[in-house]
Amino acid sequence: MTADTTEKPSEELRFRSAGLTALENSPVTTRAMTRRLPQLVRKALSLAWRVDQRAVVALLVCQALSGFLEAFGLLATTSTITALIAGGNITDRLWDAAPSIAVLAGAAGFRALLGIAVNNISSRLSPRISREAEMQMLDAAINAELAAYDSPGFNDKREAADRGAEVAQDLLTESQDLMACLASLIAAAGVLSILHPALLPLLLLAALPQGIASVRAARVHYQTSRAMGADRRTLSFLRWFVIDKGTADQLRTGTMAAFLLGRYRSIGNRVDDATDKAVHQGARYAIIGAVAGGLASGLVWIALALLLGSGRMSVASAGTAVFALRTVGSSIRGVVGYGTRLYRTGLYLDDWAEFIEEAGGHRLIRGTTTPPAPRSVKAEALTYRYPGADRPALEKITLEVRRGEVLALVGENGSGKTTLSKLLTGLYLPTDGSVTWDGTATGALDPHGMWKQTAVVPQEFAHWPLSARDNITLGQPHGGEEAVHRAAERSGAHEVVDDLRSGLDTLLAREWFGGVELSGGQWQRIAIARAFHRPAGLLVMDEPTSALDARAEHRIFTGLRDIAQDHAVVLVTHRLANVAIADRIVVLDHGCIIQQGTFDELVEAPGLFRELWELQNDRSIPNPRTAGSSIGCEMSAEDAQ
């Protein structure tokens, strides 16, 4: 057999989403922005409405009043200028202008108060909107299929949604700023139209170049942010491994710091290069827009001078027009600026909306039947393939476990034992074949109702930063204190709890909140206790005693037969001596069942089980020590006696 010398490309910890490719093929345009802004404002108000309806009404009223006062103040400007430039004594002119000046001052003061009210309401609503968006995103993540976490791109979509939830609070603020600018623009534009109809279209023309430039810059920044999303997540991933307590000892003994920091720096440089490119491109757009806008603004002022010089506009009207032009110009720049920021925020919010609607394309869509505790869990011709995998993890598996019996799954690493246990509990759905509970397929059952009937001790169990009691009850204290103590007694966790400073009320999170830290074996007893505490019909224990000492392990397995009286028990373990208590043993190899039987039958029969059994019991030492050799400390003759 000749070796394959073809050089394979090196794989990187990166993901390129289909959504990003679609975005590049359908870029952001000014027309798209104009069409989208009203939708975003409605979305902002809709989110705010869910949080506080009265506050939304107050915001809209304040904005409407502010726009009305803007127009009223500008109209009063003409009367003020007319009175001031009229002939006669200066004192008389000031008295004539006093009512108009009072109107201007009152309008300005009241608008300032309205601005404070708008800012106050928005500041209260914004964090609540963001939290509401986060809650909806978390709910979507919880209601995604577990297989989603094995699917390339799910985490990328989740992170994009997280970014959307984070900026959701900006949506209201930017919408309010946009509406304020629009209200001011409408008021000033109305005044300009009264003064002379030709001024308004010229001013709009002056603002158009900057608007187009801002939209293009927003598109560049958003696309760059999305393109670098996977790299930023990788940086976060590496940061966690560098500073996490669980890997701190291996980072040091393996002298990996320089390697990981080098990888971090390399990826960071890639993000910086892309960001610099986006910033420079956005700046080029801004310069072009500013130059074109400046030229167009010059035309506006030339037009105003011609109108004044030709007598088509009075001096007082020209003075008012100057104020109105400045207001309109400022408002248009605000509309463009805030509109661009709102549009960019809306793009991130689209990622959030897509995720909460589809849970990254993996939303739980199953049946509605709530099952009782199962009497029989059966797999028939079961095949399961992980997303993107080259071959199935399990193929044509048929087995059954009934209430009152213990089924053991045995096999070497990668044989499919853990995957099969997740299919039996409905955490995964079969690619082909079926898993049924009392004859009903797991896909037809209500998933949350089904999981209430399961108790699982996984290989990697959670160390919840909660009290010992909450770590056992998982926030579901059914059966009261007696049930908690019974579960702790069965698992040996009572010995751990008795030594804690506050018993079951002790916080188990030293590195986070100053609580107590447990050893690996102590945590495993807590994990077993939480499974024993659940009033479940199906109990799955995946390497449940890997960190336990001999005494604690003996306690678990001697009591497992009693627990199996009202449970269907699936036991996954590499320690073959422990499966002697099982009613049936299923031996897996590369995703297929190759042997089944009792412990005695499999030990006697040729096959993988007996081979593994003999290897585990082979304790021969290649170079045994002589009787006279010493190990460590030597005992004196007196000590020996």
Side-chain angles (χ1 to χ4, degrees):
M1 181 178 178
T2 59
D4 184 7
T5 58
T6 304
E7 185 177 347
K8 296 182 180 179
S10 176
E11 296 184 2
E12 287 188 84
L13 192 62
R14 302 179 72 188
F15 172 73
R16 183 170 178 81
S17 69
L20 177 61
T21 304
L23 180 67
E24 292 172 347
N25 294 334
S26 300
V28 179
T29 63
T30 306
R31 180 182 298 178
M33 173 180 167
T34 306
R35 188 170 56 248
R36 185 72 196 287
L37 284 179
Q39 301 172 6
L40 291 173
V41 173
R42 285 198 301 271
K43 182 175 287 188
L45 295 175
S46 175
L47 278 171
W49 188 264
R50 296 184 61 171
V51 174
D52 191 336
Q53 297 179 5
R54 288 185 298 180
V56 174
V57 173
L59 278 175
L60 295 176
V61 170
C62 288
Q63 294 288 10
L65 285 174
S66 182
F68 172 76
L69 291 172
E70 178 85 19
F72 196 61
L74 285 173
L75 290 174
T77 302
T78 303
S79 301
T80 303
I81 296 175
T82 300
L84 290 175
I85 65 175
N89 186 277
I90 184 61
T91 303
D92 294 335
R93 282 183 287 162
L94 288 174
W95 277 110
D96 292 339
S100 300
I101 293 174
V103 170
L104 285 173
F110 198 28
R111 286 188 69 236
L113 290 176
L114 289 173
I116 293 172
V118 167
N119 182 68
N120 179 270
I121 296 171
S122 297
S123 298
R124 288 193 307 105
L125 280 178
S126 293
R128 290 175 171 83
I129 289 174
S130 188
R131 190 158 53 250
E132 174 67 22
E134 288 172 355
M135 288 292 294
Q136 292 185 37
M137 189 202 71
L138 291 174
D139 181 72
I142 291 171
N143 285 284
E145 291 283 0
L146 184 64
Y149 293 91
D150 302 315
S151 177
F154 176 77
N155 287 325
D156 183 72
K157 293 180 180 179
R158 180 187 54 76
E159 182 172 308
D162 188 60
R163 168 69 171 160
E166 180 183 339
V167 302
Q169 63 180 341
D170 299 331
L171 192 67
L172 180 65
T173 304
E174 291 164 358
S175 295
Q176 289 303 308
D177 290 336
L178 177 63
M179 286 192 292
C181 289
L182 282 173
S184 181
L185 175 62
I186 292 171
V191 172
L192 276 178
S193 299
I194 294 173
L195 295 175
H196 200 286
L199 292 175
L200 185 59
L202 286 173
L203 196 62
L204 293 176
L205 179 63
L208 187 61
Q210 289 183 328
I212 296 175
S214 296
V215 173
R216 289 179 179 272
R219 181 186 70 196
V220 170
H221 283 289
Y222 173 74
Q223 288 181 333
T224 301
S225 178
R226 282 299 308 272
M228 292 293 103
D231 279 330
R232 283 196 299 271
R233 182 157 49 83
T234 303
L235 290 176
S236 177
F237 198 54
L238 288 175
R239 280 198 304 273
W240 177 257
F241 273 94
V242 169
I243 65 176
D244 182 46
K245 176 185 176 183
T247 56
D249 55 344
Q250 298 169 65
L251 179 75
R252 287 157 175 77
T253 58
T255 60
M256 284 188 67
F259 171 74
L260 289 180
L261 290 176
R263 182 63 58 87
Y264 187 92
R265 187 175 295 108
S266 174
I267 297 173
N269 289 338
R270 191 160 63 209
V271 174
D272 291 342
D273 291 342
T275 302
D276 290 346
K277 183 178 179 181
V279 170
H280 295 328
Q281 189 171 352
R284 285 196 294 271
Y285 285 137
I287 291 172
I288 294 172
V291 171
L295 294 175
S297 296
L299 293 177
V300 174
W301 289 104
I302 291 173
L304 181 61
L306 290 174
L307 289 172
L308 182 61
S310 62
R312 297 178 184 176
M313 182 178 290
S314 67
V315 174
S317 297
T320 303
V322 169
F323 286 107
L325 284 171
R326 294 183 62 182
T327 300
V328 170
S330 176
S331 298
I332 290 178
R333 286 191 296 271
V335 168
V336 171
Y338 291 127
T340 302
R341 287 166 54 185
L342 177 61
Y343 188 77
R344 186 167 59 183
T345 300
L347 292 173
Y348 288 114
L349 208 68
D350 285 344
D351 297 328
W352 167 81
E354 178 186 351
F355 186 83
I356 63 172
E357 181 179 350
E358 303 177 3
H362 299 274
R363 179 170 289 280
L364 282 167
I365 304 176
R366 301 195 189 180
T368 57
T369 302
T370 301
R375 302 185 64 87
S376 169
V377 178
K378 188 175 183 180
E380 294 184 282
L382 167 65
T383 296
Y384 184 77
R385 183 192 299 270
Y386 283 98
D390 296 330
R391 63 181 183 83
L394 295 169
E395 192 167 13
K396 302 300 181 182
I397 300 293
T398 297
L399 56 81
E400 182 179 11
V401 57
R402 300 183 182 89
R403 186 185 302 176
E405 68 177 0
V406 178
L407 173 70
L409 303 179
V410 173
E412 297 179 279
N413 293 335
S415 59
K417 304 183 298 298
T418 298
T419 301
L420 178 55
S421 69
K422 289 181 177 179
L423 284 153
L424 295 176
T425 56
L427 289 171
Y428 291 156
L429 294 178
T431 304
D432 196 13
S434 66
V435 174
T436 59
W437 281 27
D438 296 331
T440 303
T442 52
L445 299 174
D446 173 66
H448 299 287
M450 178 173 54
W451 294 328
K452 286 183 178 180
Q453 303 297 338
T454 63
V456 179
V457 183
Q459 291 186 44
E460 298 181 7
F461 43 85
H463 298 189
W464 299 111
L466 303 168
S467 68
R469 175 183 284 101
D470 289 337
N471 263 284
I472 293 175
T473 65
L474 301 180
Q476 302 159 74
H478 43 72
E481 287 293 291
E482 182 181 349
V484 177
H485 288 293
R486 184 168 58 251
E489 182 76 27
R490 281 180 165 181
S491 65
H494 69 292
E495 298 175 352
V496 178
V497 173
D498 290 344
D499 289 337
L500 297 176
R501 63 192 181 199
S502 302
L504 286 168
D505 295 317
T506 305
L507 182 65
L508 305 182
R510 182 171 64 192
E511 69 272 26
W512 290 97
F513 307 112
V516 173
E517 183 58 76
L518 302 182
S519 69
Q522 289 174 320
W523 266 116
Q524 192 157 46
R525 295 191 194 194
I526 296 291
I528 296 171
R530 70 174 62 136
F532 288 172
H533 178 264
R534 291 179 66 79
L538 175 61
L539 171 62
V540 175
M541 305 180 75
D542 193 347
E543 300 292 353
T545 60
S546 58
L548 297 185
D549 55 54
R551 189 184 304 278
E553 185 176 45
H554 182 267
R555 179 200 299 272
I556 297 299
F557 284 103
T558 54
L560 195 57
R561 176 55 59 191
D562 292 335
I563 293 174
Q565 290 180 6
D566 52 1
H567 289 79
V569 179
V570 177
L571 174 63
V572 180
T573 182
H574 286 104
R575 300 186 186 182
L576 300 187
N578 293 331
V579 301
I581 67 165
D583 298 288
R584 287 181 298 115
I585 301 170
V586 172
V587 182
L588 295 167
D589 184 44
H590 291 90
C592 298
I593 295 177
I594 60 171
Q595 288 181 284
Q596 292 191 62
T598 64
F599 181 83
D600 292 336
E601 291 171 347
L602 294 176
V603 166
E604 295 298 326
L608 179 60
F609 186 89
R610 189 169 81 176
E611 181 185 348
L612 295 176
W613 172 254
E614 290 173 349
L615 288 171
Q616 286 194 4
N617 287 278
D618 181 6
R619 293 295 181 266
S620 60
I621 302 175
N623 295 303
R625 297 182 181 88
T626 61
S629 63
S630 61
I631 303 175
C633 301
E634 295 184 359
M635 292 189 298
S636 65
E638 294 178 358
D639 291 334
Q641 293 175 359

